Amino acid sequence: MAMRLSVLCLLASLSLVFCADPPTILVHKRVSSKIVAEDVPVVITYNILNVGTRPVYNFLLEDDSWPSDQFEILNGTTWTKIKSIESQGKETHILTVRPLSTAPILGPRAKFHYSFEKTGSHYQTGYSTDLPAHTVLTKRQYKMQSSWNLTEWGVFFGVGSIFIVVPLLSWLKAQAQYHSLTAPAKKSS
């Protein structure tokens, strides 16, 4: 009787292990930089999420959407390998590139592989989210957007000062006239 009960418990536990939800990986690829311009570093972030109930092993992310004739890789790599990602775990990979031309950034999906088991015998393949098209500004457009625009501020200050200086001068003139009328006359001896 005890033997049957232990065999039944063993079968029940094995069915729970093998019938558990497989791990599910989501990879979100995005441009983290606010301005995308020629010869200005652009930060690309890959957020890797395991939304499944089991860990994944031997995770490999590869992104070949950064050709060397259009982008210079400044920091990071176009691939990352993570030994394991726990259930509900999150990993981040960061890549910094510099656009060499004003061609728009059209980032196709990054490809990734992972295994359900530590041995790496069964691999699952997936793709990241699409990177929306980003217009790359020219150097001149970037300087216009990011500079202080001193000419515009000078015109603003010049026009705005008219509304301050003219009433101030009128008030000072009126004050001088008032004081000259109300000042006691000096006696001459």
Side-chain angles (χ1 to χ4, degrees), residues 17 23 30 42 47 61 72 90 140 143 174 183:
V17 169
R30 66 184 180 95
V42 177
N47 290 322
L61 173 76
E72 178 185 359
K90 178 181 178 182
R140 184 173 184 270
K143 286 180 182 177

Side-chain angles (χ1 to χ4, degrees), residues 120-186:
S121 57
H122 295 88
Y123 277 94
Q124 184 74 22
T125 301
Y127 295 92
S128 71
T129 57
D130 284 328
L131 187 64
H134 285 79
T135 303
V136 178
L137 302 176
T138 62
K139 292 177 189 178
R140 184 173 184 270
Q141 290 171 325
Y142 173 71
K143 286 180 182 177
M144 288 176 58
Q145 283 191 2
S146 61
S147 70
W148 282 84
N149 299 331
L150 294 177
T151 305
E152 288 83 1
W153 280 106
V155 169
F156 175 74
F157 181 74
V159 171
S161 64
I162 292 172
F163 296 106
I164 295 172
V165 172
V166 171
L168 178 66
L169 292 175
S170 296
W171 179 77
L172 289 174
K173 183 179 177 185
Q175 286 293 319
Q177 287 175 348
Y178 174 75
H179 287 297
S180 68
L181 292 176
T182 59
K186 290 188 177 181

Side-chain angles (χ1 to χ4, degrees), residues 19-41:
C19 294
D21 292 333
T24 302
I25 298 292
L26 301 176
V27 177
H28 180 66
K29 177 181 172 182
R30 66 184 180 95
V31 173
S32 298
S33 301
K34 291 185 179 185
I35 295 177
V36 178
E38 181 181 18
D39 285 337
V40 176

Side-chain angles (χ1 to χ4, degrees), residues 29 31 36 44 63-67 70-71 99 102-110 129-136:
K29 177 181 172 182
V31 173
V36 178
I44 310 298
D63 191 0
D64 58 357
S65 57
W66 310 107
Q70 294 179 4
F71 299 95
T102 57
I105 295 177
L106 302 170
R109 297 176 175 191
T129 57
D130 284 328
L131 187 64
H134 285 79
T135 303
V136 178

Side-chain angles (χ1 to χ4, degrees), residues 54-130:
R54 292 179 24 199
V56 297
Y57 303 98
N58 302 321
F59 179 87
L60 176 65
L61 173 76
E62 298 174 304
D63 191 0
D64 58 357
S65 57
W66 310 107
S68 61
D69 61 329
Q70 294 179 4
F71 299 95
E72 178 185 359
I73 297 175
L74 300 176
N75 193 10
T77 60
T78 57
W79 62 273
T80 185
K81 188 171 186 176
I82 302 169
K83 189 172 183 177
S84 68
I85 304 173
E86 292 300 318
S87 172
Q88 304 302 313
K90 178 181 178 182
E91 297 285 336
T92 302
H93 179 66
I94 297 175
L95 171 68
T96 305
V97 298
R98 180 175 36 217
L100 301 176
S101 67
T102 57
I105 295 177
L106 302 170
R109 297 176 175 191
K111 187 176 183 178
F112 60 89
H113 311 279
Y114 60 93
S115 175
F116 302 133
E117 303 161 356
K118 287 183 181 181
T119 60
S121 57
H122 295 88
Y123 277 94
Q124 184 74 22
T125 301
Y127 295 92
S128 71
T129 57
D130 284 328

